Amino acid sequence: MEYIVNKNAQMGTGCHKIHTKECKNGPKKENRIELKECMCPLEAEKKAKKYFTIVNGCKYCCKSNCL
Ligand SMILES: [Zn+2]
């Protein structure tokens, strides 16, 4: 699965949301940073943390499944 992270933080929480590329709740193309192919949401989260301090998986597409 390919993942992306929102360049823009959420209002209030300052959190950058991680989504799969297919997620309908994901940000617009110009607001995405490509995280490329990841085994699971946790791997995507690690990659996203290189860009942003506070990241969080989308509750629709990033239900953790590799713990
Ligand atoms: Zn999502």
Side-chain angles (χ1 to χ4, degrees), residues 18-20 23 25 58 61:
I18 299 163
H19 296 272
T20 62
C23 181
N25 297 292
C58 164
C61 65

Side-chain angles (χ1 to χ4, degrees), residues 16-28:
H16 294 261
K17 283 279 180 191
I18 299 163
H19 296 272
T20 62
K21 251 186 164 174
E22 286 81 23
C23 181
K24 289 183 179 67
N25 297 292
K28 287 180 192 164

Side-chain angles (χ1 to χ4, degrees), residues 1-66:
M1 188 67 80
E2 285 191 58
Y3 289 85
I4 58 99
V5 61
N6 196 333
K7 270 185 201 172
N8 300 321
Q10 285 197 309
M11 295 281 208
T13 61
C15 179
H16 294 261
K17 283 279 180 191
I18 299 163
H19 296 272
T20 62
K21 251 186 164 174
E22 286 81 23
C23 181
K24 289 183 179 67
N25 297 292
K28 287 180 192 164
K29 219 171 185 180
E30 62 265 31
N31 293 327
R32 294 174 175 205
I33 291 174
E34 302 275 343
L35 299 174
K36 304 282 164 61
E37 192 71 30
C38 299
M39 294 284 285
C40 63
L42 276 184
E43 192 188 338
E45 194 179 314
K46 274 185 204 157
K47 287 189 185 179
K49 280 192 170 165
K50 290 177 187 167
Y51 298 98
F52 306 110
T53 317
I54 312 167
V55 297
N56 199 354
C58 164
K59 65 179 172 184
Y60 301 105
C61 65
C62 291
K63 288 177 190 157
S64 193
N65 55 7
C66 69

